[in-house]
Amino acid sequence: MRLTAIVAVALAAALVWVGWAQGWFGALGVEAVALQRAMQDRLAAAVFAIRAGEPWALASLMGAAWLYGVGHAAGPGHGKALLAAAAVGSRASAGRMAGVALLAALAQGAVAVAVIYGALAALSVSAGAAMAAGERAAAPLGFAAAGGVGVWLSVRGVRGLRRGAALAHAPTCGCAHGCGPEAAVAAAADFRGWRETLALIAGVAARPCAGAMLVLAVAWGARIPVAGVLAVAAMALGVAAVTAAAAVIGVGARETALTAVGDRRVALAASGLQAGAGALLAAVGAAGLAASI
Amino acid sequence: MRRLLLTAALLVAAPPALAHPHVFVDASVDFVLDAEGRVERLRIGWFYDPLFSLYLLGEMGIDAFAPADEATRAAIAEDQTNWIEGFEGNSFLLADGEPIRLSGPLNPTGDIVNGRVAASHERRLETPLDPRETEIVVEVYDPVYFIAYTVSGPTRVEGPGAEACRAAVDEFKPTDGLLALQGLLLSLAMEDIPEDPTVGRLFTDRVRLTCG
């Protein structure tokens, strides 16, 4: 039953992936432009409603912001790529990955608040300058964190692979404990430690979302800063709904692959996935870092 | 415009760029004819979406919730025609398919209408063009597609012989490939700038002038 569900999730993910590459979603394009504009218009209308003291205006702003978050997270993006790669390349549970996705989205919103309100209140520079400075300062940090998680994953993966190879050569190993696949599994990352989890969150959160910064700048200008923070929190929850789904799909795909290779080679396969996903992340982090400094 | 352009340039140039439009403009294009019925000037109108209007007015230190006074209108007109080096105005005139140089912005206006920034300016043709002999098309687009323009305003022709002319909007007609690209650009969100630096032209509305 569990296997069926996992295979279904993996197939659905593969279908979406292929469809994207083939341009099957092209028909959504124009609607997506219109949707982007409609979401933006709703945000503005809600800001005007709050200024006019209309009832439920704050709720309507938060609802619009939530939708904006879902809409903006729905395409392929760096947060989802990071979380999905970490999900594939570790043995972390779906629940844990979803939790990390939620924390990362909220942290990303908090970074946007700190950058924009900090710049407007303390430094009294323009929001545009703050947005640009925030991007420039935060992007390298995010890429560095992502690359760090990638290196950490791939080192552990390679270690697992070598241990698996050693076991294959010496099937009657003489060590006292933990020679079987369990040992390699135990070496696999599961994002239970605070350091790697924090690095992963930082990798996602360090690059504040431009939409969130735009809303904050508008809220500041309209003298409704608290509403701006609430709107960004709602936006982060919308983003988290999508990034958590990406992470859970990653977990599903990984479990499917591990089920497919069979019990005996599970440890080796997990180490291989970990090394591969880690290397991918490290490469993305390095490329981004090189481009952003 | 300088302010908008700098914001766009900073965000598009930074690696986590905005590949998709974050600014929406309802544009209008008018043709002004000279005494001999040749196209002498274009009048371009820009009507910004409400969210970006709020942002822009905030950046300019203008209270977006108060009615626009004379100083506000002048400040908007000035801002929108303060173009940085290399900015070509996002309006492009083609005569029989060949690009024609246009002057910098003239006679600017600015206003706030229903909370939205409205601005207009004129651009002179170096040499007036006879629309009875030349096919004249105006394209309105942002090459890097940070701003999405839609030509939705009434398109007018003014001056002697204008009654024999018609300016019609050919709306952007999407093909499957273009739609796929547009969907992709929208979804790119923070990752990449479009590889094609004039990708915005693919989605342009065109205004075609026919006379006689």
Side-chain angles (χ1 to χ4, degrees):
Chain A
M1 188 55 217
R2 180 157 169 266
L3 180 63
T4 316
I6 288 169
V7 170
V9 166
L11 278 179
L15 197 67
V16 168
W17 186 257
V18 170
W20 198 276
Q22 297 293 317
W24 294 344
F25 299 107
L28 295 176
V30 156
E31 281 179 42
V33 175
L35 193 68
Q36 157 86 11
R37 181 167 188 172
M39 288 191 297
Q40 220 159 290
D41 287 354
R42 288 208 70 109
L43 284 170
V47 169
F48 274 98
I50 289 175
R51 287 278 307 205
E54 286 175 27
W56 299 105
L58 182 61
S60 130
L61 176 69
M62 291 175 70
W66 186 83
L67 276 178
Y68 192 95
V70 172
H72 274 72
H78 97 284
K80 278 168 307 299
L82 254 175
L83 288 164
V88 169
S90 71
R91 297 305 306 271
S93 69
R96 174 156 293 268
M97 289 312 300
V100 170
L102 175 63
L103 286 177
L106 289 171
Q108 191 183 28
V111 169
V113 172
V115 167
I116 296 299
Y117 282 5
L120 289 172
L123 308 174
S124 60
V125 300
S126 78
M131 281 162 81
E135 292 277 9
R136 266 203 302 275
L141 288 177
F143 282 121
V149 172
V151 168
W152 177 74
L153 276 176
S154 56
V155 164
R156 296 189 72 139
V158 168
R159 206 182 290 160
L161 281 174
R162 282 167 59 186
R163 189 173 315 167
L167 284 175
H169 285 298
T172 54
C173 73
C175 51
H177 61 87
C179 282
E182 302 77 24
V185 172
D190 59 4
F191 290 98
R192 282 177 182 279
W194 63 271
R195 263 172 310 202
E196 61 267 26
T197 309
L198 213 58
L200 183 57
I201 289 174
V204 177
R207 298 163 72 190
C209 154
M213 294 195 289
L214 191 64
V215 166
L216 288 165
V218 164
W220 187 270
R223 298 195 179 77
I224 48 169
V226 176
V229 172
L230 292 174
V232 167
M235 202 181 280
L237 292 180
V239 169
V242 177
T243 54
V248 170
I249 288 173
V251 171
R254 176 241 296 163
E255 290 301 320
T256 308
L258 295 185
T259 307
V261 298
D263 282 347
R264 292 195 49 216
R265 277 171 295 178
V266 111
L268 215 54
S271 299
L273 276 180
Q274 193 168 334
L280 198 69
L281 263 188
V284 167
L289 198 59
S292 61
I293 48 179
Chain B
M1 207 58 204
R2 183 185 164 78
R3 194 170 272 109
L4 165 55
L5 288 168
L6 287 178
T7 304
L10 286 165
L11 289 173
V12 173
L18 299 162
H20 63 264
H22 263 248
V23 180
F24 297 90
V25 174
D26 295 317
S28 62
V29 177
D30 298 337
F31 297 86
V32 182
L33 306 181
D34 69 5
E36 279 124 79
R38 298 174 303 176
V39 178
E40 177 189 57
R41 280 172 293 150
L42 301 178
R43 187 180 300 116
I44 309 292
W46 290 333
F47 195 27
Y48 285 90
D49 73 85
L51 190 72
F52 186 78
S53 297
L54 282 173
Y55 171 78
L56 181 62
L57 294 171
E59 285 284 90
M60 295 176 67
I62 293 172
D63 182 0
F65 303 93
D69 58 16
E70 201 45 55
T72 294
R73 284 194 280 269
I76 292 172
E78 205 280 324
D79 176 80
Q80 288 296 298
T81 47
N82 185 357
W83 294 359
I84 54 178
E85 189 69 30
F87 177 63
E88 292 186 64
N90 291 351
S91 304
F92 304 89
L93 192 150
L94 301 172
D96 291 332
E98 289 298 312
I100 297 292
R101 262 180 66 91
L102 298 170
S103 72
L106 309 164
N107 305 328
T109 70
D111 206 349
I112 304 175
V113 180
N114 298 327
R116 298 171 62 184
V117 170
S120 80
H121 60 267
E122 295 183 350
R123 302 189 66 186
R124 190 183 303 278
L125 282 67
E126 252 174 21
T127 325
L129 284 171
D130 193 332
R132 288 154 296 196
E133 295 166 3
T134 318
E135 186 198 45
I136 294 179
V137 172
V138 176
E139 299 178 337
V140 182
Y141 63 89
D142 171 14
V144 295
Y145 206 36
F146 184 78
I147 310 169
Y149 290 91
T150 311
V151 180
S152 57
T155 50
R156 285 178 292 252
V157 187
E158 297 166 12
E163 55 285 350
C165 295
R166 206 174 81 85
V169 181
D170 298 347
E171 277 176 35
F172 161 60
K173 289 259 181 3
T175 62
D176 283 353
L178 279 181
L179 278 173
L181 177 61
Q182 197 168 33
L184 196 63
L185 285 175
L186 278 158
S187 63
L188 282 178
M190 298 292 170
E191 287 304 290
D192 293 300
I193 52 170
E195 301 230 337
D196 177 358
T198 59
V199 70
R201 187 176 178 205
L202 297 173
F203 312 115
T204 185
D205 290 341
R206 293 186 170 80
V207 185
R208 194 177 302 277
L209 178 68
T210 42
C211 295

